[in-house]
């Protein structure tokens, strides 16, 4: 069975290849797939008719309880025959129906139909309930795609979304039921769930499971109060309506209910709920069927009524109910699909679907008229059609069940309305005289006529020659549903029985409805006791209210104010840290005794003063200077605590920030009045203060925990031995953690690219001459430039043994260019570089990467540096120099990209 | 002394955060620069803080004597440069934003979410 499904899936995916090439005959060719599957399933008949079950299973995701297990018994077999048989006819019919559509639309439709067929087969064959859910949801999604097939029409889109919301919502209920079953039983096998039903019901989850299964079934099978999606679903192309929304998909709810009937029957309220819901559905649908104006909506409401009958039959007890359910399922699938085909042919031929506007079509569409008549007779339950037999079964089931007569009365009434609807939809369009002339756009074709005729005739042939179908399909299906074999006697004539009398009553009332349909229809349309769109409106309103709620919530949560986001995030962070500290409960560790040194304390206080001044400053220039002050104070702090590398880097960076930000501050207004209301400022102050307090506590604890760090010790011991360098910081950067540094260098290179694209030279190449500067600065700038450049090279070169290195070197070199550009203009500084800064970045990155390659020749990992010590007073040479030079070039190029770009932009 | 430095770093970070919570983009930018300074100081405190000798191996020696923590310094060195790059990139974006919109306010710079989205209304049931 898995093989069949996989083959069908592959075939469905290949449809576009065929359908785009073949054109109009595509339907006939594609129909080979469903008919081949039908043949394959018929081959299983010998297994099924003996009452055996064919199972297949593969492990898929055992940890989830999800296995590829399939099970073919009589009930699934009947479904498979209907799905593949009607599927083949639908495919043929679609080929004729979609003649006006472009090829790609036709191929899309056929693909969706075949995919749907696979999903449908999967649903009825799946044994594992998780697997079944996958297929079940696939049918909902494909139904959505088919209803919304004409995606340009807003009505189609609305109908498609509504159908998806209702059926997928029911799918969620099914998922919930399955999850609960899995929790209670520890297995997702459907057969086991049904077998161990009492165990399910004995658990706390019994009632919720049954309720969820019912909701899933009622939504899928369009039962009150979820029925409103089905008439709207008639926006789908008619072949899809025939297939999905009448013959197969909507019966999945019945399938589910029938499978779980023993479990449902185990609750006190299960059967009652089914019967009450079914009766309400039948009455509502019958009423609406009489009010319906178009061919398809009359059929849609009669389908809802039929589904109600099926639910009623599941709800009734006794073997006769199972027999009637299976019989009616088969009969209904045959005649309703045929009638939908006829409705489609009428719609296709005339372009109008309103019943009152049609008439006299038997002359132009003779075969369609014949098929419609035959199918309607079956629907009306006139002997010797299959519909008559199934109706007899229905009444027999009701008489034999332990139920009172109310459902019987409803069934009689609803069946009478079905007779009426069957009469009207046949007589009105085909046989009565038209009120105005009906224009015919398309005639009949083989593809349009053969499918409905075949189905309608099947309804006749089965009732006259019932042996084969009874043996292979009906009897095994009944046995599968009822749980043990039941004697099934399919025959037209049973002699004078109470059921015959009821049938006569039904036909009599139905005839009256046909005769007085027009006045009845008009009266019902004028005074609607149940408002047709009431539930639909309620649904739409609730959906819209949900969307509004979500939009309102989003607008509140995503208000677009960065400050608000940050405040929330930081407040949350502080709360979490405080909570974590509270939970840890350990006493705070404090750093060891460490006397306060006056000079260093003064420097630190300058840093704090700068930070506070920056936060208070109204003027942006003042704020920048205050931030710089803190930066310099921290740089001195680094110097005083044995970190000369950090110190010179920080100094250079602070100088460069001043140069770069000045370019920005030249452009924007310097005076920045506060943007926050007073209350907000106070709140932010509180957040900032609590953040600082938390960080203070964390830092104290962290410093208190400090002990000898093995990593740092290792670097200290190995730096010279392995890395040939005296400056441990630099050796870590270029050698031990060289790969990290390469990554950081790449980040800077990417930042340079970003800057280059943001500050793309959209201005004139050399916009303005330098602003007038003091002549001494102008004169001193060139010597200063060369001096700084030379210093940067020295810093780079000696970095391995003394404080310095590529990062600092690059920054100092950038400072040299900054001096030049401040004194003599960007143009001159850029000319002094003799290359574009981005090119410098590229070269630098290339050098850094290349420096790691030579060692790979010797088999060592990338970035293992090599050394050559010639001795004799000559300096040692290593690939680290190359690496550091690369870093130097990247940093220089990146800074210059921004320096030149920002200064040019500012000068605009 | 360590406690004093911790206090310094905390104060710097607090002031920086207060600036970042502003709605003026340049104040945010300066606040980020300040924050990275404070965080660098914090990482410095996280390292071994007992010695004030630079981590340089003396001439003629093979291993490092008692000295400041080289690992923390290596981390901070790159952090300074990366923080600098971040500040500069931000400055560029602010500059372009100012050129494009003439505003330094971070509130809804582009207002991407239209509150009256027609999809939310939907067609009325017929």
């Amino acid at each position: 069975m898995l093989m069949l499904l996989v083959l069908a899936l592959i075939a469905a995916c290949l449809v576009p290849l065929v359908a785009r090439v073949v054109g109009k005959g595509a339907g006939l060719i594609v129909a080979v797939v469903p008919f081949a599957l039908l043949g394959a399933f018929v081959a299983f008949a010998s297994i099924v008719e003996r009452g055996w079950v064919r199972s297949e299973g593969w492990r898929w995701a055992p940890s989830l309880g999800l296995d590829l297990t399939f099970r073919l018994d009589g009930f699934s077999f009947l479904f498979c025959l209907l799905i593949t048989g009607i599927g083949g006819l639908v495919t043929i019919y679609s080929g004729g129906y979609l003649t006006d559509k472009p090829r790609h639309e036709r191929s899309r439709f056929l693909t969706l139909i075949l995919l749907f067929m696979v999903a449908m087969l999967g649903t009825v064959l799946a044994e594992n309930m998780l697997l079944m859910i996958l297929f079940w949801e696939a049918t909902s999604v494909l139904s959505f795609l088919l209803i919304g097939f004409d995606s340009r029409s807003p009505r189609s889109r609305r109908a498609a979304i509504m159908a998806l919301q209702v059926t997928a919502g029911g799918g969620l209920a099914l998922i919930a039921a399955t999850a609960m079953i899995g929790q209670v039983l520890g297995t997702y096998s459907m057969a086991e769930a049904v077998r161990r039903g009492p165990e399910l019901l004995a658990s706390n989850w019994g009632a919720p499971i049954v309720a969820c299964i019912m909701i899933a079934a009622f939504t899928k099978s369009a039962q009150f109060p979820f029925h409103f999606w089905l008439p709207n679903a008639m926006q789908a192309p008619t072949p899809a309506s025939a297939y999905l929304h009448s013959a197969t998909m909507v019966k999945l709810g019945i399938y589910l209910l029938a499978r779980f009937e023993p479990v449902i029957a185990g609750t006190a309220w299960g059967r009652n709920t089914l019967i009450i819901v079914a009766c309400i559905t039948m009455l509502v649908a019958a009423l609406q069927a009489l009010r319906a104006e178009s061919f398809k909506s009359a059929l849609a409401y009669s389908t809802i009524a039929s589904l109600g009958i099926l639910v009623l039959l599941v709800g009734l007890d006794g073997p006769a109910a199972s027999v009637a359910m299976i019989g009616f399922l088969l009969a209904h699938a045959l005649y309703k699909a045929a009638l939908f085909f006829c409705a489609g042919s009428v719609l296709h031929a005339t372009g109008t679907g309103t019943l009152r506007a049609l008439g006299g079509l038997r002359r132009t569409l003779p075969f369609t008229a014949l098929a419609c008549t035959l199918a309607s007779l079956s629907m009306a339950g006139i002997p010797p059609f299959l519909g008559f037999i199934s109706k007899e079964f229905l009444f027999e089931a009701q008489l034999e069940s332990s139920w009172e007569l109310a459902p019987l009365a409803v069934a009689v009434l609803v069946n009478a309305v079905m007779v009426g609807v069957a009469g009207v939809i046949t007589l009105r369009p085909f046989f009565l005289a038209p009120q105005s002339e009906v224009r015919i756009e398309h005639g009949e074709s083989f593809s349009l006529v053969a499918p409905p005729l075949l189905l309608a005739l099947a309804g006749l042939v089965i009732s006259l020659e019932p042996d084969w179908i009874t043996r292979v399909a009906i009897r095994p299906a009944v046995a599968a549903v009822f749980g043990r074999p039941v004697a099934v006697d399919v025959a037209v004539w049973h002699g004078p029985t109470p059921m015959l009398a009821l049938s006569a009553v039904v036909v009599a009332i139905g005839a009256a409805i046909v005769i007085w349909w027009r006045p009845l229809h008009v009266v019902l349309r004028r005074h609607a006791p149940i408002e047709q769109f009431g539930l639909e409106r309620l649904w739409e309103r609730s959906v819209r209210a949900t969307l509004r709620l979500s939009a309102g919530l989003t607008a509140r949560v995503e208000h677009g104010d960065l400050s608000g986001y940050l405040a929330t995030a930081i407040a949350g962070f502080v709360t979490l840290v405080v909570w974590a500290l509270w939970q840890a409960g350990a006493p705070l560790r404090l750093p060891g005794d460490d006397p306060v040194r006056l000079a260093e304390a003064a420097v630190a206080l300058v840093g704090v003063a700068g930070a506070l001044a920056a936060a208070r400053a109204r003027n942006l220039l003042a704020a920048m200077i205050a931030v710089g002050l803190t930066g310099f104070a921290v740089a001195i702090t680094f110097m005083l605590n044995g970190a000369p590398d950090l110190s010179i880097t920080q100094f250079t960076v602070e100088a460069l920030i001043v140069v770069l930000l000045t370019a920005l501050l030249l452009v924007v207004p310097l005076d920045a009045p506060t943007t926050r209301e007073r209350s907000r400022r106070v709140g932010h102050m509180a957040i900032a203060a609590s953040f600082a307090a938390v960080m203070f506590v964390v830092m104290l604890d962290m410093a208190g925990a400090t002990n000898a760090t093995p990593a740092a010790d290792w670097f200290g011991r190995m730096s010279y031995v392995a890395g040939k360098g005296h400056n441990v910081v630099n050796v870590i950067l270029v050698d031990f953690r060289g790969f990290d540094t390469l990554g950081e260098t790449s980040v800077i290179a990417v930042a340079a690219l970003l800057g280059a694209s943001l500050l793309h030279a959209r201005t004139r190449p050399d916009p303005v001459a330098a602003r007038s500067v003091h002549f001494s600065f102008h004169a001193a700038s060139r010597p200063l430039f060369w001096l700084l450049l030379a210093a940067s090279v020295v810093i780079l070169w000696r970095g391995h043994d003394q404080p310095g290195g590529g990062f600092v070197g690059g920054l100092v070199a950038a400072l040299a260019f900054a001096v030049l550009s401040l004194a003599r203009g960007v143009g001159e500084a850029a000319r002094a570089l003799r290359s574009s800064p981005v090119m410098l970045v590229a070269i630098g990155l290339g050098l850094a990467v290349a420096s790691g390659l030579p060692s790979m020749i010797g088999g060592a990992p990338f970035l293992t540096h090599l050394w050559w010590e010639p001795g004799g007073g000559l300096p040692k040479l290593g690939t680290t120099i190359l690496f550091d030079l690369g870093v130097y070039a990247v940093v220089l190029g990146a800074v210059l990209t921004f320096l030149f770009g920002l200064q040019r932009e500012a000068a605009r | 002394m360590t406690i004093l430095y911790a206090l310094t770093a905390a104060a710097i970070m607090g002031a920086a955060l207060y600036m970042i919570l502003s709605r003026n983009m340049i104040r945010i930018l300066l606040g980020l620069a300040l924050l990275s300074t404070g965080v660098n100081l914090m990482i410095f405190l996280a390292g071994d803080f007992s010695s004030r000798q630079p981590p340089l191996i003396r001439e003629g020696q093979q291993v490092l004597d008692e000295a400041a923590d080289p690992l923390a310094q290596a981390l901070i060195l790159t952090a300074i440069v990366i923080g600098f790059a971040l500040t500069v990139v931000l400055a560029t974006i602010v500059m372009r934003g100012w050129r494009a919109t003439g505003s330094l306010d971070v509130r809804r710079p582009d207002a991407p979410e239209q509150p009256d989205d027609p999809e939310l209304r939907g067609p009325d049931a017929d």
Side-chain angles (χ1 to χ4, degrees):
Chain A
M1 284 175 277
L2 180 65
M3 276 314 288
L4 287 179
L5 288 180
V6 170
L7 285 176
L9 191 63
I10 293 171
C13 297
L14 293 178
V15 164
L17 293 179
V18 179
R20 290 202 178 198
V21 178
V22 176
K24 295 198 173 167
L28 288 169
I29 294 177
V30 172
V32 169
V33 178
F35 284 129
L37 281 173
L38 178 63
F41 278 112
V42 168
F44 288 123
S46 57
I47 299 173
V48 172
E49 68 179 278
R50 291 184 175 86
W52 295 349
V53 170
R54 187 184 161 93
S55 295
E56 287 178 12
W58 287 269
R59 313 206 78 182
W60 188 7
S63 55
L64 300 175
L66 175 55
D67 289 314
L68 285 172
T69 48
F70 297 95
R71 186 168 182 274
L72 181 74
D73 66 358
F75 196 37
S76 347
F77 182 70
L78 176 68
F79 264 95
C80 289
L81 294 187
L82 288 175
I83 292 163
T84 51
I86 296 179
L89 297 176
V90 164
T91 322
I92 293 177
Y93 186 86
S94 315
Y97 186 77
L98 298 173
T99 41
D100 292 346
K101 301 270 181 194
R103 275 183 192 191
H104 67 271
E105 293 221 342
R106 198 159 45 216
S107 101
R108 180 158 69 97
F109 186 81
L110 290 172
T111 311
L112 289 176
I113 288 283
L114 282 200
L115 284 175
F116 170 78
M117 183 184 72
V118 176
M120 202 51 215
L121 288 173
T123 314
V124 296
L125 288 174
E127 210 303 288
N128 185 293
M129 290 194 65
L130 294 175
L131 188 63
M132 186 187 76
I133 287 172
L134 289 182
F135 288 116
W136 175 287
E137 296 288 7
T139 64
S140 290
V141 171
L142 287 162
S143 154
F144 163 77
L145 291 173
L146 283 165
I147 297 170
F149 187 75
D150 182 11
S151 53
R152 278 175 297 258
S153 145
R155 284 173 68 89
S156 295
R157 292 201 301 268
R158 173 175 168 270
I161 289 172
M162 185 188 291
L164 186 67
Q165 281 168 344
V166 176
T167 53
L172 291 181
L174 183 60
I175 292 173
T178 306
M180 288 187 274
I181 290 173
Q183 278 299 308
V184 175
L185 299 182
T187 173
Y188 291 106
S189 153
M190 197 188 324
E192 198 163 337
V194 175
R195 194 168 52 76
R196 289 162 67 184
E199 210 174 314
L200 279 181
L201 294 174
S203 74
N204 288 334
W205 301 104
I209 288 172
V210 173
C212 282
I213 285 176
M214 280 189 184
I215 289 172
F218 290 165
T219 51
K220 202 79 168 174
S221 287
Q223 295 300 294
F224 183 88
F226 306 111
H227 63 286
F228 55 88
W229 71 267
L230 188 55
N232 280 301
M234 294 300 134
Q235 291 292 330
T238 312
S241 304
Y243 195 28
L244 275 70
H245 307 123
S246 167
T248 58
M249 187 186 86
V250 289
K251 304 234 167 77
L252 276 183
I254 314 295
Y255 173 83
L256 188 69
L257 289 177
R259 285 282 185 214
F260 280 92
E261 192 192 338
V263 183
I264 293 170
T267 59
W269 45 275
R271 286 192 187 278
N272 295 9
T273 310
L274 289 185
I275 288 167
I276 290 166
V277 168
C279 286
I280 296 175
T281 308
M282 283 153 70
L283 287 174
V284 170
L287 201 65
Q288 298 295 351
L290 289 177
R291 293 181 76 229
E293 287 191 300
S294 82
F295 205 149
K296 278 182 83 176
S297 62
L299 288 177
Y301 281 114
S302 79
T303 302
I304 296 179
S306 306
L307 293 167
I309 294 175
L310 286 168
V311 173
L312 174 73
L313 287 170
V314 175
L316 292 176
D317 50 0
S322 297
V323 176
M325 199 266 284
I326 297 296
F328 188 60
L329 191 76
L330 179 64
H332 176 259
L334 296 179
Y335 72 68
K336 196 52 72 62
L339 285 175
F340 265 107
F341 285 146
C342 295
S345 297
V346 169
L347 194 65
H348 186 61
T350 64
T352 175
T354 313
L355 280 170
R356 268 185 296 175
L358 296 166
L361 291 174
R362 74 171 185 282
R363 269 186 292 278
T364 41
L365 306 171
F367 291 104
T368 310
L370 176 64
C372 190
T373 310
L374 294 177
S376 290
L377 288 173
S378 186
M379 175 170 167
I382 308 293
F385 289 89
L386 187 57
F388 169 73
I389 300 175
S390 71
K391 195 162 61 182
E392 299 271 280
F393 281 144
L394 165 65
F395 291 139
E396 185 185 355
Q398 293 198 315
L399 291 171
E400 281 191 7
S401 84
S402 53
W403 264 74
E404 324 223 338
L405 287 180
L408 183 62
V410 172
V412 168
L413 193 66
V414 169
N415 268 298
V417 171
M418 302 268 250
V419 173
V421 170
V424 168
I425 58 173
T426 312
L427 294 176
R428 186 66 255 170
F430 292 103
F431 295 98
L432 294 183
Q435 289 172 329
S436 58
E437 201 190 336
V438 179
R439 241 166 45 85
I440 301 293
E441 290 165 7
H442 301 278
E444 293 181 322
S445 67
F446 171 78
S447 296
L448 289 179
V449 167
L453 264 181
L454 274 174
L455 283 174
L457 287 174
L460 189 58
V461 170
I462 288 175
S463 66
L464 296 178
E465 283 294 328
D467 291 346
W468 184 78
I469 196 82
T470 310
R471 197 181 74 234
V472 305
I474 297 179
R475 205 172 288 148
V478 171
V481 170
F482 189 65
R484 59 173 187 273
V486 176
V488 180
D489 178 19
V490 179
V492 175
W493 185 247
H494 286 109
T497 56
M499 288 80 85
L500 192 64
L502 282 173
S503 280
V505 172
V506 164
V507 172
I509 302 175
I513 289 174
V514 173
I515 293 166
W516 286 295
W517 176 69
R518 219 186 137 75
L520 202 60
H521 177 73
V522 171
V523 167
L524 280 175
R525 281 206 77 77
R526 208 171 293 148
H527 316 277
I530 294 180
E531 219 264 309
Q532 184 179 2
F533 297 112
L535 278 170
E536 199 177 320
R537 284 237 177 83
L538 194 67
W539 176 268
E540 291 240 309
R541 219 171 287 154
S542 65
V543 167
R544 237 173 294 151
T546 316
L547 282 179
R548 259 200 306 275
L549 179 74
S550 133
L553 204 65
T554 310
R556 282 191 69 83
V557 177
E558 261 182 56
H559 42 65
D561 187 354
L562 181 66
S563 159
Y565 297 147
L566 281 174
T568 314
I570 300 289
F573 165 78
V574 169
T575 316
L576 275 180
V577 172
V578 169
W579 183 77
L581 288 175
W582 186 268
Q583 286 292 307
L588 189 67
R589 287 169 295 192
L590 284 175
D593 190 32
D594 191 7
V596 174
R597 292 178 293 273
L598 204 60
E600 294 168 30
V603 171
L605 286 180
V606 169
V608 173
L612 295 178
R616 283 185 55 83
R618 287 273 181 279
N619 185 293
L620 293 177
L621 189 63
M624 184 186 78
I625 292 170
V627 169
L629 188 66
T630 306
F632 284 120
V634 171
I636 296 172
T637 303
F638 287 148
M639 181 70 90
L640 293 174
N641 286 285
D645 280 297
L646 300 189
S647 181
I648 51 175
T649 311
Q650 179 92 35
F651 273 125
T652 329
V653 160
E654 292 303 332
L656 280 170
I657 281 188
V658 168
V659 176
L660 284 160
L661 290 191
T662 308
L664 174 63
L665 292 180
L666 279 175
V667 177
V668 300
L670 286 179
D671 217 26
T674 179
T675 50
R676 293 175 272 193
E677 312 83 66
R678 198 182 153 69
S679 61
R680 219 177 155 80
R681 276 207 307 278
V682 172
H684 285 176
M685 262 178 225
I687 292 176
S690 59
F691 175 73
V694 163
M695 292 314 284
F696 177 61
V697 172
V698 168
M699 271 187 282
L700 282 188
D701 192 61
M702 194 170 68
T706 303
N707 40 30
T709 50
D713 281 355
W714 188 88
F715 287 130
R717 272 185 283 111
M718 298 305 286
S719 182
Y720 188 75
V721 180
K724 309 275 183 237
H726 289 95
N727 183 354
V728 182
V729 175
N730 184 271
V731 174
I732 293 174
L733 283 176
V734 299
D735 200 334
F736 294 133
R737 310 294 306 159
F739 210 83
D740 284 355
T741 309
L742 186 62
E744 276 141 11
T745 312
S746 314
V747 169
I748 293 169
V750 170
L753 277 183
L754 178 63
S757 56
L758 280 173
L759 297 165
H760 185 65
R762 61 187 85 205
T763 43
R764 294 179 301 279
D766 198 359
V768 278
R771 277 174 295 279
S772 61
V773 294
H774 196 272
F775 82 96
S776 61
F777 184 39
H778 189 270
S781 62
R782 275 221 170 258
L784 203 55
F785 168 72
W786 287 111
L787 204 63
L788 281 167
L789 213 56
S792 79
V793 174
V794 172
I795 289 172
L796 166 71
W797 173 255
R798 64 169 216 166
H800 210 54
D801 292 322
Q802 297 293 320
F807 281 116
V808 195
L811 290 169
V812 171
L815 209 52
F817 283 91
V819 167
L820 203 59
S821 76
L822 283 179
R824 291 165 182 255
V826 190
E828 187 147 348
R831 271 193 299 281
L833 185 62
R834 289 173 212 279
S835 132
S836 97
V838 178
M839 180 56 88
L840 200 61
V841 171
I843 293 172
L845 204 56
L847 275 178
V849 172
S851 76
L853 294 177
S855 58
M856 292 178 80
I857 300 169
F862 178 60
L863 277 177
T864 310
H865 287 295
L866 303 177
W867 284 95
W868 181 54
E869 283 175 293
L874 288 169
K876 61 185 187 219
L877 288 173
T879 46
T880 52
I881 304 286
L882 216 54
F883 186 84
D884 238 2
L885 187 63
V887 174
Y888 174 93
V890 170
V891 171
L892 175 61
V895 177
L896 290 189
T897 307
F898 287 101
L899 181 73
F900 296 164
L902 279 172
Q903 287 191 337
R904 281 205 181 105
E905 185 73 33
R908 222 156 43 111
Chain B
M1 200 64 222
T2 315
I3 296 176
L4 188 69
Y5 277 138
L7 205 58
T8 307
I12 293 174
M13 283 192 278
L17 185 67
Y18 179 73
M19 290 177 84
I20 292 171
L21 287 172
S22 160
R23 289 184 181 126
N24 182 303
M25 287 206 221
I26 294 187
R27 209 166 259 149
I28 295 177
L29 177 134
L30 291 171
L32 273 174
L34 197 58
L35 186 68
S36 89
T37 307
V39 170
N40 287 341
L41 193 55
M42 181 174 97
I43 302 174
F44 198 63
L45 293 180
D48 187 0
F49 202 61
S50 54
S51 170
R52 296 198 287 156
Q53 278 300 315
L56 301 172
I57 299 171
R58 288 204 194 115
E59 204 58 51
Q61 283 196 325
Q62 297 277 315
V63 295
L64 188 62
D65 289 337
E66 183 73 17
D69 193 338
L71 184 60
Q73 292 191 22
L75 293 178
I76 296 168
L77 192 78
T78 46
I80 292 174
V81 179
I82 296 279
F84 170 59
L86 178 71
T87 309
V88 173
V89 168
L90 211 58
T92 311
I93 292 171
V94 172
M95 173 79 104
R96 289 238 57 94
W98 169 257
R99 287 287 193 215
T101 65
S103 162
L104 291 174
D105 199 308
V106 292
R107 266 172 294 188
R108 309 181 73 94
D110 47 3
E113 315 280 341
Q114 299 296 322
D116 45 359
D117 193 338
E119 282 288 313
L120 296 184
R121 285 202 294 274
D124 219 352
D126 50 13

